[in-house]
Amino acid sequence: MKDIEIGIIGGTGGIGRWFAAFFRAEGYTVHVAGRTTETTVTQLADRCRVVIVAVPIAATVEVIRRVGPLLGAGALLMDLTSFKTEPVRAMLDATVADVLGCHPLFGPDVQGLKDQNVVLCPGRGERGRTWFRELLRKNGAGVVETTPERHDRMMALVQGLNHLNTMALGLTLREAGVSPEELAPFSTPIFRTKTTILEKVFGSNPRLYAELVASNPDVAGLLDLYERNVARLKALVAGKDVDGLTDLIGAG
């Protein structure tokens, strides 16, 4: 399929730009459309047999509904969003083209696909899915195929609960009244690792992490569990119950 042209909507930044560079390195012709490009979504759809939506979460479904009807049978429509249920459903409704949901479990700072995980959620068609899956595997990625619903349940844990925990830690440190500069000389290696994560979540794009936590419907149930466990821990700490804490965290 090296003769195909690939179009990426949102290919001027973040993970879209990363995949544009990846496909070009593999020998494909890549076109990108974004808010600052001359190429439009319509031109992209006319020119490309593979169209990938790589825009922010909140805009994904709207863009899918715009580009989907422009693609014919034999084309492939993909998305790179962190959620899969709604985007895959939107793609199936919006187009007669093949459909593939994709979630790269890494950010645009990685150097290559080796040892990185990618989730694929098949929607419609085999040829495009096989091509992309084998391209990922050839470059060393770990590929898992699952349903959009199962993906989103897993992401509620891997991303939603994980980032929620980081947010809670960051807000607590912020309100504790101790500056990062004061903490630095007392930091352990583990705390320095957590500080790096805090800087990422509270840094230049906090909306991304807010969307990952607030937009996944499966996070709400986990938040109830989180609150319950914090309450249990709080009670044990208040009672200076070392044995109880030991039993609790060692029960697994």
Side-chain angles (χ1 to χ4, degrees):
M1 293 180 67
K2 282 288 180 73
D3 58 327
I4 66 172
E5 297 186 28
I6 299 170
I8 303 180
I9 304 171
T12 59
I15 200 67
R17 182 171 55 193
W18 191 95
F19 269 96
F22 167 74
F23 286 122
R24 287 177 179 133
E26 288 292 312
Y28 294 94
T29 300
V30 180
H31 307 278
V32 299
R35 285 173 292 185
T36 61
T37 65
E38 293 183 3
T39 302
T40 67
V41 169
T42 300
Q43 291 170 334
L44 204 71
D46 287 342
R47 184 178 296 168
C48 301
R49 278 181 54 203
V50 175
V51 173
I52 302 172
V53 177
V55 298
I57 293 169
T60 296
V61 170
E62 176 190 350
V63 172
I64 286 170
R65 288 171 178 163
R66 284 177 56 201
V67 71
L70 305 176
L71 299 174
L76 172 65
L77 179 60
M78 295 173 50
D79 83 300
L80 302 180
T81 322
S82 298
F83 301 126
K84 293 273 74 79
T85 302
E86 191 176 6
V88 171
R89 185 185 301 124
M91 288 190 288
L92 289 170
D93 290 343
T95 188
V96 297
D98 289 353
V99 166
L100 179 63
C102 173
H103 184 191
L105 299 175
F106 56 87
D109 53 337
V110 304
Q111 297 302 305
L113 279 174
K114 184 173 172 53
D115 298 326
Q116 302 297 333
N117 291 328
V118 181
V119 180
L120 300 181
C121 295
R124 178 190 301 131
E126 293 289 338
R127 187 181 180 204
R129 171 166 58 118
T130 300
W131 158 74
F132 189 56
R133 181 185 63 217
E134 297 313 309
L135 184 61
L136 294 171
R137 286 178 174 166
K138 182 187 77 138
N139 282 273
V143 180
V144 59
E145 296 189 26
T146 189
T147 65
E149 294 77 14
R150 184 167 185 266
H151 167 275
D152 289 355
R153 288 195 299 272
M154 292 298 183
M155 286 305 104
L157 290 163
V158 172
Q159 290 185 320
L161 184 60
N162 184 25
H163 296 320
L164 183 71
N165 187 60
T166 300
M167 291 173 186
L169 174 61
L171 293 172
T172 303
L173 290 174
R174 178 189 290 174
E175 295 177 19
V178 182
S179 70
E181 292 74 21
E182 291 177 274
L183 282 171
F186 298 90
S187 296
T188 63
I190 290 176
F191 188 79
R192 287 195 291 273
T193 299
K194 290 187 175 181
T195 299
T196 300
I197 297 170
L198 284 168
E199 290 171 351
K200 192 171 185 180
V201 172
F202 284 77
S204 61
N205 192 8
R207 185 174 185 85
L208 169 63
Y209 297 95
E211 288 180 333
L212 290 174
V213 170
S215 299
N216 189 325
D218 292 307
V219 169
L222 293 175
L223 184 55
D224 289 339
L225 290 176
Y226 187 87
E227 286 185 305
R228 189 184 314 159
N229 282 302
V230 169
R232 294 168 72 190
L233 292 168
K234 182 179 179 180
L236 291 168
V237 171
K240 302 186 185 304
D241 189 349
V242 174
D243 290 336
L245 271 173
T246 301
D247 291 342
L248 182 62
I249 63 179

